[in-house]
PDB file of all heavy atoms in Angstrom:
ATOM      1  N   PRO W 907       0.270   8.329  -5.313  1.00  0.00           N
ATOM      2  CA  PRO W 907       1.527   7.576  -5.103  1.00  0.00           C
ATOM      3  C   PRO W 907       2.671   8.534  -5.451  1.00  0.00           C
ATOM      4  O   PRO W 907       2.561   9.252  -6.439  1.00  0.00           O
ATOM      5  CB  PRO W 907       1.371   6.346  -5.797  1.00  0.00           C
ATOM      6  CG  PRO W 907       0.434   6.667  -6.974  1.00  0.00           C
ATOM      7  CD  PRO W 907      -0.518   7.698  -6.442  1.00  0.00           C
ATOM      8  N   VAL W 908       3.795   8.257  -5.025  1.00  0.00           N
ATOM      9  CA  VAL W 908       5.062   8.973  -5.319  1.00  0.00           C
ATOM     10  C   VAL W 908       6.017   8.057  -6.063  1.00  0.00           C
ATOM     11  O   VAL W 908       6.684   8.399  -6.979  1.00  0.00           O
ATOM     12  CB  VAL W 908       5.816   9.510  -4.094  1.00  0.00           C
ATOM     13  CG1 VAL W 908       7.062  10.071  -4.502  1.00  0.00           C
ATOM     14  CG2 VAL W 908       4.893  10.474  -3.358  1.00  0.00           C
ATOM     15  N   THR W 909       6.077   6.718  -5.690  1.00  0.00           N
ATOM     16  CA  THR W 909       7.051   5.785  -6.248  1.00  0.00           C
ATOM     17  C   THR W 909       6.420   4.361  -6.399  1.00  0.00           C
ATOM     18  O   THR W 909       5.445   4.154  -5.635  1.00  0.00           O
ATOM     19  CB  THR W 909       8.383   5.840  -5.450  1.00  0.00           C
ATOM     20  OG1 THR W 909       9.271   4.730  -6.035  1.00  0.00           O
ATOM     21  CG2 THR W 909       8.153   5.446  -4.012  1.00  0.00           C
ATOM     22  N   THR W 910       6.963   3.578  -7.205  1.00  0.00           N
ATOM     23  CA  THR W 910       6.605   2.142  -7.484  1.00  0.00           C
ATOM     24  C   THR W 910       7.522   1.246  -6.717  1.00  0.00           C
ATOM     25  O   THR W 910       7.399   0.046  -6.803  1.00  0.00           O
ATOM     26  CB  THR W 910       6.471   1.812  -8.849  1.00  0.00           C
ATOM     27  OG1 THR W 910       7.785   1.985  -9.447  1.00  0.00           O
ATOM     28  CG2 THR W 910       5.521   2.684  -9.492  1.00  0.00           C
ATOM     29  N   CYS W 911       8.501   1.728  -6.002  1.00  0.00           N
ATOM     30  CA  CYS W 911       9.542   0.767  -5.420  1.00  0.00           C
ATOM     31  C   CYS W 911       8.852  -0.194  -4.436  1.00  0.00           C
ATOM     32  O   CYS W 911       9.367  -1.323  -4.559  1.00  0.00           O
ATOM     33  CB  CYS W 911      10.528   1.636  -4.632  1.00  0.00           C
ATOM     34  SG  CYS W 911      11.687   2.742  -5.628  1.00  0.00           S
ATOM     35  N   SER W 912       7.925   0.206  -3.611  1.00  0.00           N
ATOM     36  CA  SER W 912       7.437  -0.681  -2.651  1.00  0.00           C
ATOM     37  C   SER W 912       6.557  -1.916  -3.525  1.00  0.00           C
ATOM     38  O   SER W 912       6.670  -3.036  -3.123  1.00  0.00           O
ATOM     39  CB  SER W 912       6.372  -0.100  -1.807  1.00  0.00           C
ATOM     40  OG  SER W 912       5.363   0.631  -2.439  1.00  0.00           O
ATOM     41  N   CYS W 913       6.022  -1.549  -4.556  1.00  0.00           N
ATOM     42  CA  CYS W 913       5.278  -2.435  -5.429  1.00  0.00           C
ATOM     43  C   CYS W 913       6.293  -3.494  -6.066  1.00  0.00           C
ATOM     44  O   CYS W 913       6.126  -4.679  -6.138  1.00  0.00           O
ATOM     45  CB  CYS W 913       4.433  -1.837  -6.542  1.00  0.00           C
ATOM     46  SG  CYS W 913       3.215  -0.734  -5.841  1.00  0.00           S
ATOM     47  N   GLU W 914       7.448  -2.867  -6.563  1.00  0.00           N
ATOM     48  CA  GLU W 914       8.417  -3.802  -7.262  1.00  0.00           C
ATOM     49  C   GLU W 914       9.122  -4.791  -6.260  1.00  0.00           C
ATOM     50  O   GLU W 914       9.675  -5.744  -6.753  1.00  0.00           O
ATOM     51  CB  GLU W 914       9.442  -2.768  -7.865  1.00  0.00           C
ATOM     52  CG  GLU W 914       8.852  -2.024  -9.073  1.00  0.00           C
ATOM     53  CD  GLU W 914       9.811  -1.157  -9.615  1.00  0.00           C
ATOM     54  OE1 GLU W 914      10.937  -1.061  -9.297  1.00  0.00           O
ATOM     55  OE2 GLU W 914       9.394  -0.421 -10.782  1.00  0.00           O
ATOM     56  N   ARG W 915       9.157  -4.342  -5.027  1.00  0.00           N
ATOM     57  CA  ARG W 915       9.750  -5.351  -4.066  1.00  0.00           C
ATOM     58  C   ARG W 915       8.990  -6.495  -4.039  1.00  0.00           C
ATOM     59  O   ARG W 915       9.524  -7.608  -3.429  1.00  0.00           O
ATOM     60  CB  ARG W 915       9.860  -4.651  -2.633  1.00  0.00           C
ATOM     61  CG  ARG W 915      10.910  -3.442  -2.680  1.00  0.00           C
ATOM     62  CD  ARG W 915      11.139  -3.029  -1.127  1.00  0.00           C
ATOM     63  NE  ARG W 915      12.045  -1.788  -1.142  1.00  0.00           N
ATOM     64  CZ  ARG W 915      11.445  -0.542  -0.932  1.00  0.00           C
ATOM     65  NH1 ARG W 915      10.301  -0.363  -0.715  1.00  0.00           N
ATOM     66  NH2 ARG W 915      12.332   0.394  -1.008  1.00  0.00           N
ATOM     67  N   ALA W 916       7.718  -6.547  -4.475  1.00  0.00           N
ATOM     68  CA  ALA W 916       6.971  -7.894  -4.374  1.00  0.00           C
ATOM     69  C   ALA W 916       7.555  -8.877  -5.295  1.00  0.00           C
ATOM     70  O   ALA W 916       7.456 -10.079  -5.032  1.00  0.00           O
ATOM     71  CB  ALA W 916       5.590  -7.545  -4.853  1.00  0.00           C
ATOM     72  N   PHE W 917       8.340  -8.476  -6.352  1.00  0.00           N
ATOM     73  CA  PHE W 917       8.934  -9.489  -7.189  1.00  0.00           C
ATOM     74  C   PHE W 917      10.068 -10.252  -6.485  1.00  0.00           C
ATOM     75  O   PHE W 917      10.396 -11.340  -6.887  1.00  0.00           O
ATOM     76  CB  PHE W 917       9.435  -8.775  -8.540  1.00  0.00           C
ATOM     77  CG  PHE W 917       8.245  -8.254  -9.312  1.00  0.00           C
ATOM     78  CD1 PHE W 917       7.840  -6.956  -9.298  1.00  0.00           C
ATOM     79  CD2 PHE W 917       7.523  -9.146 -10.127  1.00  0.00           C
ATOM     80  CE1 PHE W 917       6.746  -6.528 -10.071  1.00  0.00           C
ATOM     81  CE2 PHE W 917       6.515  -8.726 -10.869  1.00  0.00           C
ATOM     82  CZ  PHE W 917       6.199  -7.355 -10.928  1.00  0.00           C
ATOM     83  N   SER W 918      10.788  -9.547  -5.638  1.00  0.00           N
ATOM     84  CA  SER W 918      11.925 -10.287  -4.929  1.00  0.00           C
ATOM     85  C   SER W 918      11.230 -11.151  -3.894  1.00  0.00           C
ATOM     86  O   SER W 918      11.918 -12.214  -3.632  1.00  0.00           O
ATOM     87  CB  SER W 918      12.613  -9.172  -4.050  1.00  0.00           C
ATOM     88  OG  SER W 918      11.936  -8.493  -3.211  1.00  0.00           O
ATOM     89  N   LYS W 919       9.994 -10.931  -3.366  1.00  0.00           N
ATOM     90  CA  LYS W 919       9.339 -11.898  -2.565  1.00  0.00           C
ATOM     91  C   LYS W 919       8.804 -13.164  -3.352  1.00  0.00           C
ATOM     92  O   LYS W 919       8.750 -14.239  -2.780  1.00  0.00           O
ATOM     93  CB  LYS W 919       8.205 -11.244  -1.890  1.00  0.00           C
ATOM     94  CG  LYS W 919       8.411 -10.130  -1.084  1.00  0.00           C
ATOM     95  CD  LYS W 919       9.139 -10.396   0.214  1.00  0.00           C
ATOM     96  CE  LYS W 919       9.304  -9.013   1.028  1.00  0.00           C
ATOM     97  NZ  LYS W 919      10.006  -9.429   2.322  1.00  0.00           N
ATOM     98  N   LEU W 920       8.526 -12.800  -4.724  1.00  0.00           N
ATOM     99  CA  LEU W 920       8.056 -13.975  -5.556  1.00  0.00           C
ATOM    100  C   LEU W 920       8.867 -15.147  -5.616  1.00  0.00           C
ATOM    101  O   LEU W 920       8.531 -16.224  -5.538  1.00  0.00           O
ATOM    102  CB  LEU W 920       7.624 -13.388  -6.882  1.00  0.00           C
ATOM    103  CG  LEU W 920       7.083 -14.431  -7.789  1.00  0.00           C
ATOM    104  CD1 LEU W 920       5.613 -14.924  -7.299  1.00  0.00           C
ATOM    105  CD2 LEU W 920       6.853 -13.698  -9.278  1.00  0.00           C
ATOM    106  N   THR W 921      10.255 -14.787  -5.694  1.00  0.00           N
ATOM    107  CA  THR W 921      11.205 -15.985  -5.789  1.00  0.00           C
ATOM    108  C   THR W 921      11.272 -16.786  -4.601  1.00  0.00           C
ATOM    109  O   THR W 921      11.685 -17.967  -4.666  1.00  0.00           O
ATOM    110  CB  THR W 921      12.558 -15.437  -6.224  1.00  0.00           C
ATOM    111  OG1 THR W 921      12.933 -14.523  -5.262  1.00  0.00           O
ATOM    112  CG2 THR W 921      12.411 -14.742  -7.560  1.00  0.00           C
ATOM    113  N   ILE W 922      10.829 -16.205  -3.486  1.00  0.00           N
ATOM    114  CA  ILE W 922      10.934 -16.961  -2.268  1.00  0.00           C
ATOM    115  C   ILE W 922       9.625 -17.765  -2.059  1.00  0.00           C
ATOM    116  O   ILE W 922       9.618 -18.953  -1.636  1.00  0.00           O
ATOM    117  CB  ILE W 922      11.084 -16.008  -0.995  1.00  0.00           C
ATOM    118  CG1 ILE W 922      12.489 -15.244  -1.202  1.00  0.00           C
ATOM    119  CG2 ILE W 922      11.145 -16.782   0.296  1.00  0.00           C
ATOM    120  CD1 ILE W 922      12.653 -14.141  -0.130  1.00  0.00           C
ATOM    121  N   VAL W 923       8.459 -17.271  -2.325  1.00  0.00           N
ATOM    122  CA  VAL W 923       7.228 -17.823  -2.258  1.00  0.00           C
ATOM    123  C   VAL W 923       7.038 -18.954  -3.346  1.00  0.00           C
ATOM    124  O   VAL W 923       6.699 -20.070  -2.980  1.00  0.00           O
ATOM    125  CB  VAL W 923       6.056 -16.980  -2.296  1.00  0.00           C
ATOM    126  CG1 VAL W 923       4.703 -17.600  -2.235  1.00  0.00           C
ATOM    127  CG2 VAL W 923       6.192 -15.990  -1.056  1.00  0.00           C
ATOM    128  N   LYS W 924       7.304 -18.659  -4.544  1.00  0.00           N
ATOM    129  CA  LYS W 924       7.081 -19.655  -5.590  1.00  0.00           C
ATOM    130  C   LYS W 924       8.365 -20.418  -5.945  1.00  0.00           C
ATOM    131  O   LYS W 924       9.077 -19.993  -6.925  1.00  0.00           O
ATOM    132  CB  LYS W 924       6.563 -18.895  -6.863  1.00  0.00           C
ATOM    133  CG  LYS W 924       6.112 -19.923  -7.967  1.00  0.00           C
ATOM    134  CD  LYS W 924       5.293 -19.112  -9.091  1.00  0.00           C
ATOM    135  CE  LYS W 924       5.064 -20.103 -10.277  1.00  0.00           C
ATOM    136  NZ  LYS W 924       4.249 -21.203  -9.763  1.00  0.00           N
ATOM    137  N   THR W 925       8.601 -21.358  -5.227  1.00  0.00           N
ATOM    138  CA  THR W 925       9.820 -22.247  -5.321  1.00  0.00           C
ATOM    139  C   THR W 925       9.607 -23.453  -6.202  1.00  0.00           C
ATOM    140  O   THR W 925       8.324 -23.612  -6.582  1.00  0.00           O
ATOM    141  CB  THR W 925      10.334 -22.651  -4.022  1.00  0.00           C
ATOM    142  OG1 THR W 925       9.460 -23.522  -3.371  1.00  0.00           O
ATOM    143  CG2 THR W 925      10.717 -21.501  -3.059  1.00  0.00           C
ATOM    144  N   LYS W 926      10.622 -24.174  -6.468  1.00  0.00           N
ATOM    145  CA  LYS W 926      10.332 -25.389  -7.203  1.00  0.00           C
ATOM    146  C   LYS W 926       9.339 -26.368  -6.603  1.00  0.00           C
ATOM    147  O   LYS W 926       8.690 -27.214  -7.224  1.00  0.00           O
ATOM    148  CB  LYS W 926      11.701 -26.151  -7.562  1.00  0.00           C
ATOM    149  CG  LYS W 926      12.603 -25.381  -8.388  1.00  0.00           C
ATOM    150  CD  LYS W 926      13.885 -26.202  -8.530  1.00  0.00           C
ATOM    151  CE  LYS W 926      14.886 -25.324  -9.571  1.00  0.00           C
ATOM    152  NZ  LYS W 926      16.049 -26.146  -9.763  1.00  0.00           N
ATOM    153  N   LEU W 927       9.364 -26.347  -5.229  1.00  0.00           N
ATOM    154  CA  LEU W 927       8.360 -27.204  -4.476  1.00  0.00           C
ATOM    155  C   LEU W 927       6.973 -26.652  -4.514  1.00  0.00           C
ATOM    156  O   LEU W 927       5.987 -27.387  -4.128  1.00  0.00           O
ATOM    157  CB  LEU W 927       8.953 -27.391  -3.079  1.00  0.00           C
ATOM    158  CG  LEU W 927      10.169 -28.010  -2.840  1.00  0.00           C
ATOM    159  CD1 LEU W 927      10.556 -28.024  -1.343  1.00  0.00           C
ATOM    160  CD2 LEU W 927      10.236 -29.415  -3.305  1.00  0.00           C
ATOM    161  N   ARG W 928       6.831 -25.485  -4.946  1.00  0.00           N
ATOM    162  CA  ARG W 928       5.345 -24.955  -5.027  1.00  0.00           C
ATOM    163  C   ARG W 928       5.182 -24.442  -6.521  1.00  0.00           C
ATOM    164  O   ARG W 928       4.354 -23.466  -6.678  1.00  0.00           O
ATOM    165  CB  ARG W 928       5.348 -23.733  -4.067  1.00  0.00           C
ATOM    166  CG  ARG W 928       5.584 -23.996  -2.616  1.00  0.00           C
ATOM    167  CD  ARG W 928       5.310 -22.688  -1.806  1.00  0.00           C
ATOM    168  NE  ARG W 928       5.596 -22.955  -0.436  1.00  0.00           N
ATOM    169  CZ  ARG W 928       6.300 -22.113   0.330  1.00  0.00           C
ATOM    170  NH1 ARG W 928       6.940 -21.069  -0.178  1.00  0.00           N
ATOM    171  NH2 ARG W 928       6.506 -22.366   1.617  1.00  0.00           N
ATOM    172  N   SER W 929       5.720 -25.118  -7.398  1.00  0.00           N
ATOM    173  CA  SER W 929       5.495 -24.838  -8.750  1.00  0.00           C
ATOM    174  C   SER W 929       4.044 -25.052  -9.350  1.00  0.00           C
ATOM    175  O   SER W 929       3.691 -24.527 -10.516  1.00  0.00           O
ATOM    176  CB  SER W 929       6.534 -25.526  -9.633  1.00  0.00           C
ATOM    177  OG  SER W 929       6.276 -26.956  -9.513  1.00  0.00           O
ATOM    178  N   THR W 930       3.210 -25.806  -8.726  1.00  0.00           N
ATOM    179  CA  THR W 930       1.854 -26.137  -9.221  1.00  0.00           C
ATOM    180  C   THR W 930       0.737 -25.421  -8.483  1.00  0.00           C
ATOM    181  O   THR W 930      -0.429 -25.716  -8.626  1.00  0.00           O
ATOM    182  CB  THR W 930       1.624 -27.672  -9.101  1.00  0.00           C
ATOM    183  OG1 THR W 930       1.703 -28.083  -7.781  1.00  0.00           O
ATOM    184  CG2 THR W 930       2.607 -28.452  -9.937  1.00  0.00           C
TER     185      THR W 930
END
Side-chain angles (χ1 to χ4, degrees):
V908 179
T909 176
T910 60
C911 290
S912 58
C913 301
E914 292 177 357
R915 291 193 186 101
F917 292 101
S918 63
K919 304 285 189 182
L920 179 63
T921 58
I922 302 175
V923 173
K924 189 172 174 57
T925 63
K926 291 181 179 179
L927 297 177
R928 297 185 181 130
S929 59
T930 59

